[in-house]
Amino acid sequence: MTNEHAKGNLNFDTIAQHGGHDVDESVRSRAVPIYQTTSYVFEDTDQAASLFKMQGNGYIYSRNANPTNNVFENRIAQLEGGVGAFAVSSGQAAIVVALLTLAKAGDEIVATNALYGGTFSLFSETFQRFGVTVHFVDGTDFEGIAGAINDKTKAIFTETIGNPSLEIADISRLSNLAHEHHLPLVVDSTFTTPYLQKPIEFGADIVVHSTTKFIGGHGSSIGGVIVDSGKFPWDNGKFPEFTESKASLDDQSFVRLAKENAFIAKARFTLGHDLGVTISPFNSWLFIQGLESLPLRMKQHVTNAQQIAEYLDGHEQVEWVNYPTLKGDPQYEMAQTYLPKGAGSIFTIGIKGGLESAKTFINSVKLLSHVANVGDSKTLVLHPATTSHARLSPDEQLAAGVTPEQIRLSIGLEDAADIKADIDQALRKS
Ligand SMILES: *Cc1c(COP(=O)(O)O)cnc(C)c1O
């Protein structure tokens, strides 16, 4: 259901303002309207019947599709260089829908191990209960990843920048490896957003986001989105559900009906419809606002983060700073390749005095907020080992790059001098 006019080859900042939106001829509203409706009046019984078979243009019910959600989906698809997108209720929902569109009970997924804590428990507990086994492998161990792939594997999953290890995924290598095994590479790009990296340009097939973070940008709404590159050959024999004719589709298949949009069509028509992981049009509207300021905000996030990281790197009370764009950082070269506009605004530090000092530091901040979130316009601080990654065993924590003394910072858009001053007074107390 794309309502796109070809607007030529527009640049990123322009797509962020206009992508996916055509001014509605009847009202001519400049801003994207919020279609706060559950359902749509059918033209007649024939049109209704064809919509239910995924044919023709039009909307049925907002659990499946909604015009405001569609603007958000088309805009982010354009920003990522994909062919289509499906917006859902959260980042977790985006990961569930993306991966279960590929894998069913009995199938397997290979994931890199430096992952968001919620993704780790989704994979290790809930997917396991659903009969989908996820193998976790060090994201830099390409032989290990290849070794974990077998006949049942349906996808490789990674994060652009691991949370909170900040491991930068070698997406070109991972996608080559996936494609050699006739598998899609699914990438969680929450920490980078399409402003800092477009994983599809490096070979990723499916991109997911928690739009809760930088895309919303103001810590106000939970949401997620799945973007499809449109490049994966679903008819390669490994994904029969994409090519089998279905009675509910008038004996057609997703590939036949939706062509290069088959993945999004299947995700929307099956899991989106059945699981009900719908995004509200109001949240989509907030994410559209977020996309419009994304380029400006990301620039400032990165500038502030670099300044604060450099300041802390030389601080006498700081043991170590992990931020890939610091000179001398082991990932500096990777960052130049994959993140030339900056490595985001999330980084970790270890302060002298270990766990106890870390706690005192967090309890002493005043301007910074101690919350379980990242990507807010406000600067946030968290102790991953006892919060976001508390469900992992000590060994799993180490494998995911979580250490006891580690503090995670998500640098916001305040004046950098004020962020520094608050960090400084908290460091003095710790
Ligand atoms: C927050 C986050 C998620 C989960 O997103 P929600 O919107 O909270 O469901 C997934 N991946 C990463 C990298 C995240 O930071």
Side-chain angles (χ1 to χ4, degrees):
M1 241 173 285
T2 45
N3 52 355
E4 251 333 83
H5 283 177
K7 284 177 184 157
N9 255 345
L10 298 176
N11 292 303
F12 190 92
D13 292 10
T14 312
I15 298 170
Q17 311 312 315
H18 295 277
H21 182 219
D22 292 323
V23 170
D24 164 27
E25 286 303 329
S26 58
V27 178
R28 306 192 64 77
S29 164
R30 176 60 278 177
V32 176
I34 305 174
Y35 283 91
Q36 193 72 35
T37 181
T38 55
S39 42
Y40 308 83
V41 181
F42 298 126
E43 287 164 26
D44 53 37
T45 50
D46 286 345
Q47 188 235 6
S50 62
L51 286 177
F52 272 82
K53 291 177 196 154
M54 231 181 70
Q55 286 162 16
N57 273 326
Y59 295 90
I60 300 174
Y61 188 60
S62 286
R63 170 148 45 75
N64 309 327
N66 167 287
T68 308
N69 296 351
N70 261 198
V71 174
F72 173 51
E73 290 162 344
N74 290 332
R75 190 168 295 182
I76 190 134
Q78 287 182 25
L79 291 171
E80 288 285 9
V83 295
F86 180 30
V88 290
S89 54
S90 68
Q92 289 292 101
I95 297 168
V96 169
V97 170
L99 291 178
L100 297 188
T101 294
L102 301 169
K104 58 180 181 344
D107 290 339
E108 299 187 359
I109 291 161
V110 177
T112 58
N113 60 7
L115 297 177
Y116 172 69
T119 307
F120 185 82
S121 59
L122 167 70
F123 288 176
S124 58
E125 295 171 34
T126 300
F127 273 17
Q128 196 63 46
R129 287 183 61 240
F130 288 2
V132 175
T133 301
V134 180
H135 300 282
F136 298 95
V137 188
D138 179 338
T140 58
D141 175 8
F142 299 96
E143 273 176 31
I145 295 171
I149 296 171
N150 61 38
D151 284 353
K152 297 180 200 151
T153 312
K154 295 292 180 188
I156 298 180
F157 180 90
T158 193
E159 292 179 3
T160 51
I161 304 181
N163 177 0
S165 68
L166 306 184
E167 179 180 297
I168 299 171
D170 193 340
I171 298 183
S172 301
R173 258 184 102 168
L174 287 170
S175 66
N176 285 339
L177 197 136
H179 297 159
E180 275 165 31
H181 291 85
H182 311 290
L183 297 171
L185 177 68
V186 182
V187 175
D188 180 338
S189 190
T190 300
F191 272 33
T192 34
T193 81
Y195 178 77
L196 294 177
Q197 188 195 100
K198 297 182 197 171
I200 290 171
E201 288 182 350
F202 294 101
D205 300 287
I206 309 290
V207 177
V208 296
H209 289 281
S210 166
T211 56
T212 311
K213 315 293 168 50
F214 292 103
I215 288 176
H218 299 80
S220 68
S221 349
I222 304 278
V225 70
I226 306 163
V227 182
D228 178 16
S229 69
K231 292 185 185 146
F232 193 83
W234 302 112
D235 54 2
N236 70 1
K238 272 187 114 52
F239 298 91
E241 288 182 349
F242 285 79
T243 49
E244 279 161 9
S245 50
K246 277 174 83 76
S248 56
L249 293 178
D250 222 5
D251 289 326
Q252 307 233 43
S253 71
F254 287 111
V255 164
R256 194 132 174 243
L257 264 180
K259 316 262 175 338
E260 82 274 15
N261 258 305
F263 181 84
I264 293 298
K266 183 172 188 280
R268 192 187 291 280
F269 193 84
T270 62
L271 292 178
H273 175 272
D274 294 349
L275 298 180
V277 288
T278 313
I279 190 167
S280 119
F282 182 67
N283 275 15
S284 277
W285 184 83
L286 289 167
F287 296 135
I288 292 166
Q289 307 304 299
L291 288 180
E292 293 184 359
S293 60
L294 185 74
L296 281 175
R297 286 187 292 106
M298 290 312 286
K299 264 178 223 151
Q300 195 60 33
H301 272 300
V302 166
T303 307
N304 275 0
Q306 184 72 27
Q307 268 195 49
I308 307 289
E310 283 173 9
Y311 168 71
L312 288 172
D313 202 26
H315 201 291
E316 56 175 21
Q317 269 166 283
V318 176
E319 195 92 53
W320 54 264
V321 179
N322 176 14
Y323 188 51
T325 48
L326 282 177
K327 291 250 157 56
D329 189 278
Q331 294 198 101
Y332 188 82
E333 288 306 317
M334 279 291 280
Q336 305 311 305
T337 306
Y338 282 104
L339 302 162
K341 289 186 190 164
S345 83
I346 297 152
F347 63 85
T348 56
I349 59 171
I351 56 180
K352 291 191 179 148
L355 177 60
E356 282 315 309
S357 298
K359 285 187 190 164
T360 311
F361 173 80
I362 290 175
N363 289 330
S364 306
V365 295
K366 295 194 173 97
L367 180 71
L368 274 54
S369 307
H370 179 201
V371 304
N373 191 24
V374 292
D376 197 321
S377 57
K378 302 171 181 76
T379 298
L380 315 176
V381 59
L382 189 74
H383 183 245
T386 54
T387 58
S388 60
H389 290 71
R391 290 199 199 182
L392 280 69
S393 70
D395 281 350
E396 289 168 344
Q397 286 194 346
L398 274 185
V402 178
T403 52
E405 81 284 9
Q406 178 188 64
I407 296 168
R408 186 183 73 189
L409 294 160
S410 173
I411 302 298
L413 304 178
E414 301 96 337
D415 191 307
D418 294 330
I419 304 172
K420 266 186 221 168
D422 193 43
I423 291 178
D424 211 43
Q425 66 79 22
L427 278 175
R428 263 183 268 124
K429 290 193 181 125
S430 66

